[in-house]
Amino acid sequence: PLVTGVQTCALPIFVLLGYPLPFVHPAFPLAICWRPKSACTTVLKWFFFHIGRLEESLACSKWPHVYREEVLFSSPGYEELCRESLFGKKKFVVKFIRDPARRAVSGFLQVIRGSAEAPGSPWSDICYWKKSVGLGDQDGLTFQQFVRYVVDCKRVQSPIDVHLSPQRCSVQDPRVDAVLPIENLKEELRNLEQRF
């Protein structure tokens, strides 16, 4: 592979339902597909508010994704509810997306501001990629090189951090009923509240 050292989830559930799993709840009329760096924290808090779990999630951690991973996604029957929501047409499926150019800049800034020693840092993979394309002696990374790195990883299907990878999901996207741009997030959330 072009990139080495990236841990990937080998669980079949992510192959069957896409990654990351959508936000679903039995009493909530929507299934929310999302990607990191696309207002996911705001949308997650909005979802928790509507299912009555916002305070509980924030009591667990100030970072609501901890509750999402440790409680919501680990709940008995959650995977089946996701399956029914995506494939059984039991819920209206929405997906929040961010302008791809803005999201790419955000991912680039995350990478260059991050520490190479931080857990999960993509720097070792980027250094390996730079050597493979003849840039091994260069310090740092330009935005153009970052975009090329992402494209090369996707082209050869090398694992890449979900914060950097494109927003497409081949499993979930065909089942999405509405794609909602986060650039109009406040309006989109209000519209969903009024409709559902």
Side-chain angles (χ1 to χ4, degrees):
L2 178 68
V3 179
T4 62
V6 177
Q7 292 191 5
T8 59
C9 183
L11 296 174
I13 193 65
F14 295 119
V15 173
L16 299 173
L17 299 176
Y19 183 84
L21 291 175
F23 304 146
V24 295
H25 185 270
F28 192 69
L30 305 171
I32 302 173
C33 297
W34 58 283
R35 295 299 286 181
K37 304 206 85 47
S38 298
C40 59
T41 303
T42 301
V43 171
L44 179 59
K45 286 177 153 183
W46 177 83
F47 170 74
F48 283 155
F49 171 79
H50 283 289
I51 66 169
R53 291 197 182 172
L54 181 59
E55 288 183 27
E56 181 181 336
S57 70
L58 296 176
C60 173
S61 171
K62 290 182 181 180
W63 187 238
H65 294 283
V66 171
Y67 185 89
R68 170 184 59 86
E69 283 289 333
E70 294 179 2
V71 178
L72 183 69
F73 284 5
S74 299
S75 303
Y78 193 79
E79 293 171 3
E80 184 57 34
L81 182 59
C82 287
R83 186 176 290 109
E84 290 171 5
S85 299
L86 291 174
F87 298 99
K89 293 292 183 186
K90 296 190 179 227
K91 298 200 181 278
F92 189 79
V93 181
V94 299
K95 180 174 184 174
F96 286 92
I97 62 163
R98 183 176 189 178
D99 174 271
R102 290 181 180 179
R103 188 169 179 270
V105 169
S106 179
F108 173 68
L109 293 174
Q110 177 180 328
V111 167
I112 63 170
R113 289 177 181 156
S115 167
E117 291 80 33
S121 171
W123 272 112
S124 63
D125 297 324
I126 290 171
C127 290
Y128 181 83
W129 170 83
K130 284 172 59 176
K131 286 178 187 172
S132 74
V133 296
L135 300 170
D137 295 331
Q138 174 192 303
D139 287 334
L141 185 73
T142 68
F143 178 69
Q144 183 179 13
Q145 291 165 347
F146 168 76
V147 171
R148 187 172 156 205
Y149 160 74
V150 171
V151 169
D152 284 353
C153 287
K154 295 311 283 181
R155 181 178 46 82
V156 297
Q157 299 180 338
S158 287
I160 188 169
D161 184 300
V162 294
H163 294 86
L164 310 179
S165 67
Q167 298 175 87
R168 293 182 309 272
C169 176
S170 61
V171 176
Q172 295 173 1
D173 288 357
R175 286 140 188 93
V176 170
D177 297 306
V179 175
L180 309 174
I182 67 162
E183 288 76 19
N184 301 322
L185 186 61
K186 188 175 181 180
E187 181 181 323
E188 297 292 357
L189 293 177
R190 272 197 200 128
N191 288 342
L192 289 174
E193 289 172 343
Q194 290 174 355
R195 182 173 176 187
F196 295 98

